[in-house]
């Protein structure tokens, strides 16, 4: 880095000499090049992400936004860069329970005011095209020299479809639980290790066992089963054991159980529950 300064004769006004000063800035240029490369690399990573990322300044103005942010927030990229530090962009915003989200408690604004980041905040936004849901992480960037807030980075994903699927699954489970409770036949569900994971009231009644006893039972060590001829049924012949070990469906097996008031005979069916991808038996 060079500086040159002429030395002028005060009488003639002519240049008598030139003073030159210079400094080696090789290391500075190297660092600047590394910084530029690092910023370009970071920009490429942000653009490649499916996850949306916004960076906000201390005043709440948007400093940068990747392309995924425009897709997830359903707003043009230029509009995001002109926005302030909240994700609704003028649209009604609400919590996971459906109640309105106060502006001062929303992600980004909260991080800007407190300097504390939070993870996995659920935010709902009411858009003209319909409501959608975001899962938001926000992290403040603090200047290590001054301790002042320099920016807030927010990353977020659209979880609308996931929440819809969870609601459908919850409804399906509730429906199945109602069916379990309504049928007169006893139903037990065994995990692959032989433990009973669920049962219906009819199973408690037919087996003369409480839920606590069923919860601690193990089909691989359960004694006392009888064949139709009255002989002891080996554990390997139990319908649930045959299903769990061999993956076969077993139907119409007569199984006797001895109780103080006498023998009770059960007609047992056992069906495998398989992993939809691998086909492996997950339960019976």
């Amino acid at each position: 880095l060079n500086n040159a300064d002429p030395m002028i004769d005060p009488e003639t006004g002519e240049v008598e000499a030139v003073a030159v000063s210079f400094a080696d800035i090789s290391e500075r240029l190297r660092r600047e090049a590394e910084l530029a490369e690092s910023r370009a690399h970071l920009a490429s990573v942000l653009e490649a992400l499916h996850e949306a990322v916004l960076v906000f300044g201390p005043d709440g103005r948007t400093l940068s936004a990747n392309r995924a942010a425009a897709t997830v927030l359903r707003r043009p990229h230029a509009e995001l860069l002109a926005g302030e530090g909240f994700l609704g962009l003028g649209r009604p915003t609400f919590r996971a329970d459906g109640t309105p989200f106060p502006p001062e408690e929303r992600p980004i604004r909260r991080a800007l005011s407190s300097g504390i980041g939070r993870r996995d905040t659920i935010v709902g936004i009411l858009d003209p095209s319909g409501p959608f849901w975001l899962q938001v992480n926000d992290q403040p960037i603090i200047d290590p020299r001054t301790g002042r807030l320099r920016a807030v980075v927010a990353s977020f994903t659209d979880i609308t479809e996931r929440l819809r699927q969870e609601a459908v699954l919850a409804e399906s489970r509730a429906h199945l639980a109602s069916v379990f409770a309504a049928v007169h036949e006893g139903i037990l569900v065994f995990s692959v290790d032989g433990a009973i994971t669920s049962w219906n009231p009819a199973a408690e009644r037919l087996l003369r066992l409480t839920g606590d006893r069923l919860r601690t039972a193990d089909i691989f060590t359960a004694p006392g089963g009888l064949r139709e001829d009255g002989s002891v049924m080996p554990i390997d012949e139990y319908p649930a054991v045959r299903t769990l070990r061999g993956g076969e469906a077993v139907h119409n097996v007569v199984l006797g159980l001895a109780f103080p008031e006498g023998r009770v005979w059960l007609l047992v069916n056992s069906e495998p529950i398989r992993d939809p991808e691998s086909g492996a038996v997950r339960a019976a």
Side-chain angles (χ1 to χ4, degrees):
L1 181 66
N2 295 274
N3 294 321
D5 197 31
M7 301 175 65
I8 309 297
D9 186 306
E11 296 180 357
T12 65
E14 295 180 353
V15 176
E16 290 188 330
V18 174
V20 177
S21 66
F22 48 91
D24 188 336
I25 59 169
S26 304
E27 180 63 19
R28 192 189 83 184
L29 293 181
R30 185 188 66 80
R31 290 180 180 178
E32 289 176 352
E34 289 180 351
L35 180 59
E37 182 180 359
S38 176
R39 285 175 173 168
H41 179 73
L42 178 60
S44 297
V45 170
L46 291 179
E47 288 304 313
L49 290 175
H50 290 290
E51 189 173 16
V53 179
L54 291 173
V55 181
F56 300 93
D59 60 355
R61 306 296 295 182
T62 307
L63 300 179
S64 65
N66 64 352
R67 296 293 170 181
T71 302
V72 172
L73 287 174
R74 296 158 168 79
R75 281 293 183 268
H77 190 258
E79 185 175 334
L80 296 182
L81 294 176
E84 294 184 353
F86 60 96
L87 298 179
L89 297 174
R91 294 167 291 184
T93 306
F94 42 94
R95 292 189 176 102
D97 60 4
T99 58
F101 219 137
E104 66 276 5
E105 295 182 15
R106 295 174 189 171
I108 293 90
R109 282 194 174 182
R110 183 184 55 205
L112 288 168
S113 61
S114 68
I116 300 173
R118 295 188 185 180
R119 299 185 61 83
D120 301 330
T121 303
I122 305 300
V123 179
I125 297 176
L126 184 59
D127 189 69
S129 62
F132 62 96
W133 296 89
L134 304 176
Q135 183 170 301
V136 184
N137 297 328
D138 53 76
Q139 181 62 44
I141 299 175
I142 306 297
D143 189 315
R145 296 168 299 177
T146 64
R148 294 180 179 177
L149 180 74
R150 295 187 59 183
V152 169
V153 178
S155 64
F156 46 96
T157 52
D158 189 329
I159 59 171
T160 307
E161 180 60 20
R162 190 192 83 186
L163 294 182
R164 186 193 68 79
Q165 292 178 355
E166 289 177 354
V168 171
L169 181 59
E171 183 179 358
S172 176
R173 285 175 173 167
H175 178 74
L176 182 60
S178 297
V179 172
F180 262 44
V183 297
H184 291 288
E185 283 189 275
I187 300 175
L188 300 175
V189 178
F190 294 93
S191 64
V192 290
D193 60 2
I196 299 174
T197 59
S198 61
W199 59 90
N200 66 346
E204 293 183 338
R205 175 175 54 82
L206 292 172
L207 296 176
R208 280 74 164 170
L209 292 174
T210 64
D212 290 337
R213 290 285 303 279
L214 290 173
R215 189 177 293 107
T216 57
D218 180 352
I219 190 62
F220 293 125
T221 59
L226 303 174
R227 294 191 180 108
E228 194 169 0
D229 61 7
S231 61
V232 174
M233 180 180 287
I235 288 176
D236 288 345
E237 294 183 14
Y238 285 8
V241 172
R242 290 166 60 186
T243 297
L244 291 171
R245 288 180 174 172
E248 62 177 314
V250 181
H251 297 152
N252 300 323
V253 173
V254 176
L255 174 66
L257 298 176
F259 294 103
E261 66 272 22
R263 291 181 181 178
V264 172
W265 296 96
L266 305 175
L267 188 64
V268 183
N269 294 326
S270 180
E271 294 282 344
I273 300 175
R274 297 184 180 275
D275 187 293
E277 296 182 358
S278 67
V281 175
R282 295 178 58 185

